[in-house]
Amino acid sequence: MKYHQKSLPKKKMIIMVPYPAQGHVTPMCQLATALVHRGYCPVVVTPEFIHRKINPRDENTDVSFLSIPDGLDEDGPRDFFAIEKAMENDMATHLEHLVRKLHEDEKDGGGNVVCVVVDLLCSYAIEVAERCGVPVAGFWAVMLAAYRLIAAIPYMLHTGLVSETGKCCCSHSNHGTPQFKGQICIVPGQPKLGPDDLPWLIGTSAAKISRFKFWIRTLDRSSSLRWLLVNSSPKEEEEEECHDHEQKIRLINAYDQEHYPFIFPVGPLSKHALTCKNATFWEEDMTCLDWLEKQRASSVVYVSFGSWVSPIGEGKIKSLALALEASKRPFIWVLGLSWREGLPQGYLERVSKQGKVVSWAPQMEVLRHEAVGCYLTHCGWNSTNEAIQCMKPLVCYPVAGDQFVNCGYITDVWRIGVKIGGLEEKDVEEGFREVLEDGKMTESLLRLNGRIMGKEASLSATNYLTTFIDDLDKS
């Protein structure tokens, strides 16, 4: 992958706007790769700080990359709320200028912008594309079940399941105060969620309310979309075999209200083991692979909480460090330099023979390795798919957002992992023991891998992408 400075393509250009985070840029780049093979010329647009971070392994790609200013201070925070403010106040103006320029160049024999694909978390870009008169498709980077949960917010508000601030209030106490009792299950067949597991319930009370407003605004903007491409397999939720493609589309959309987009499950995009798949923001420590060669088969625990470890906190990092040491199991732990200050004194020296602590790992290569026995994860969607693809059972410690939905499927529906309640020594060791000694979990992984990663699932995802492209060409 390369920051292309060459002239942009002349035909069938698709502008792609991912949310500026590793877990969203990666699947958008994977989708871009799939579109290249359909004759399109994708142009991935990110804010400058992301554009600089992308660390390619392969410079040979037909995907182009452009950046726009975000208006944020160079040394300022780039958390969820800072990025939201930047998208609404600065990036929208710059993106509109870019889209208009690329679209209008067509009149002078330049590019032909046929569509803008927008990550729903960047809903500002939906309005930009509409103002520019360009067809726009939504993109959902995670599991379809998580989208269904977000799309059900109007229903939850109407039925009183959640309050106007997004707090669960299914029942009332004797004093008439809204309280939540029990669990939520919006769509039949989905695992139940607890009162703190909804995707917007992160951080302080004010933060939770702001996130809930963010999702309501996102739903309002996305109601104008005709298409929604989802990084999910139609096989994840199917309860019965259905061989008619049009009927499958109707089943996938059965639970969605009429004013929401038409859903096309084109994933999991991690199967596109092509150049864009390896778009990372950090340099990968390839010495992991040499270290793994010296370990026994299925003995190593791989630990990674993705690119967003901050909600875990320094105290839990210390607890996990001691738990890994006490387990006596070999491990690879992905832990950024800024978080190592919280490690116990002398820790890295003590565990130097037992484990390997790295800032970033070549995750797919690590998970594929026969020495790795299980994966301790936050249940991010990309990591979940990669674990299924590489047939590794999961020890789950979800932290925020869609991770609780993913964890529910991992543990209760697919039965390919266990959830632990904390990162203390007892919790961690019990989790390791259960997944490494449960033969049925291996069988479940084999079946699930075949169902959502096999030839039939790939054909189904391809058919959905073809249906979208055919509809786009007619628009």
Side-chain angles (χ1 to χ4, degrees), residues 73-357:
D73 293 336
E74 187 67 26
D75 299 323
R78 284 187 168 85
D79 58 15
F80 178 85
F81 297 109
I83 291 173
E84 179 189 12
K85 183 177 179 181
M87 290 191 297
E88 299 295 329
N89 297 337
D90 291 277
M91 291 167 60
T93 300
H94 293 293
L95 179 64
E96 183 165 348
H97 176 75
L98 176 62
V99 173
R100 288 190 185 280
K101 184 178 186 303
L102 294 177
H103 194 45
E104 291 172 0
D105 280 349
E106 178 185 355
K107 301 175 183 178
D108 301 319
N112 176 16
V113 179
V114 297
C115 184
V116 179
V117 176
V118 176
D119 190 315
L120 289 195
L121 273 72
C122 298
S123 64
Y124 79 93
I126 296 173
E127 294 183 332
V128 168
E130 290 173 342
R131 287 197 297 269
C132 295
V134 181
V136 56
F139 177 67
W140 186 250
V142 296
M143 191 179 189
L144 176 57
Y147 171 75
R148 294 199 194 285
L149 185 61
I150 294 296
I153 286 176
Y155 167 79
M156 287 189 273
L157 284 168
H158 177 71
T159 58
L161 191 60
V162 298
S163 69
E164 293 295 329
T165 61
K167 186 178 180 180
C168 294
C169 50
C170 289
S171 61
H172 297 269
S173 69
N174 293 333
H175 303 289
T177 304
Q179 291 183 341
F180 181 84
K181 294 181 179 179
Q183 294 179 307
I184 293 176
C185 183
I186 300 298
V187 179
Q190 286 190 1
K192 295 179 180 179
L193 298 176
D196 297 321
D197 295 346
L198 296 175
W200 53 86
L201 297 180
I202 305 170
T204 64
S205 296
K208 293 173 182 177
I209 293 171
S210 295
R211 288 176 185 273
F212 190 58
K213 291 179 178 178
F214 171 89
W215 284 117
I216 290 175
R217 185 179 63 221
T218 297
L219 285 176
D220 181 60
R221 288 172 172 171
S222 63
S223 66
S224 64
L225 294 175
R226 176 179 175 83
W227 312 286
L228 179 62
L229 304 172
V230 180
N231 182 22
S232 201
S233 169
K235 294 289 184 179
E236 289 159 3
E237 298 183 32
E238 278 186 7
E239 297 180 2
E240 57 182 296
E241 286 297 317
C242 177
H243 300 287
D244 178 77
H245 181 60
E246 295 301 322
Q247 185 182 349
K248 282 183 179 180
I249 290 181
R250 289 193 294 273
L251 285 173
I252 288 292
N253 287 273
Y255 299 118
D256 298 306
Q257 299 179 30
E258 292 182 359
H259 62 281
Y260 287 134
F262 214 49
I263 297 172
F264 297 87
V266 296
L269 291 164
S270 62
K271 292 186 296 184
H272 293 282
L274 302 167
T275 55
C276 279
K277 185 184 76 67
N278 295 315
T280 67
F281 295 176
W282 301 278
E283 184 177 356
E284 297 165 327
D285 189 336
M286 304 303 288
T287 63
C288 289
L289 305 181
D290 293 331
W291 184 86
L292 282 172
E293 288 296 320
K294 303 173 184 177
Q295 311 304 319
R296 292 182 293 105
S298 301
S299 66
V300 176
V301 173
Y302 176 59
V303 183
S304 175
F305 291 93
S307 57
W308 191 45
V309 74
S310 55
I312 297 173
E314 189 172 297
K316 291 182 180 178
I317 293 292
K318 183 176 181 179
S319 295
L320 177 57
L322 295 174
L324 290 172
E325 183 179 15
S327 75
K328 306 297 183 183
R329 300 176 187 271
F331 65 86
I332 293 178
W333 187 6
V334 177
L335 188 66
L337 293 176
S338 62
W339 283 98
R340 297 186 192 180
E341 295 177 3
L343 293 174
Q345 187 173 3
Y347 181 79
L348 294 177
E349 292 76 15
R350 292 203 308 271
V351 300
S352 60
K353 294 184 179 180
Q354 176 188 353
K356 189 171 181 62
V357 180

Side-chain angles (χ1 to χ4, degrees), residues 57 285-289 291-292 300-303 332 334 358 360-374 390 392:
R57 286 196 204 167
D285 189 336
M286 304 303 288
T287 63
C288 289
L289 305 181
W291 184 86
L292 282 172
V300 176
V301 173
Y302 176 59
V303 183
I332 293 178
V334 177
V358 298
W360 200 246
Q363 182 156 294
M364 280 297 287
E365 285 88 340
V366 169
L367 288 174
R368 284 194 189 106
H369 202 283
E370 64 176 8
V372 174
C374 69
C390 298
K392 303 300 180 184

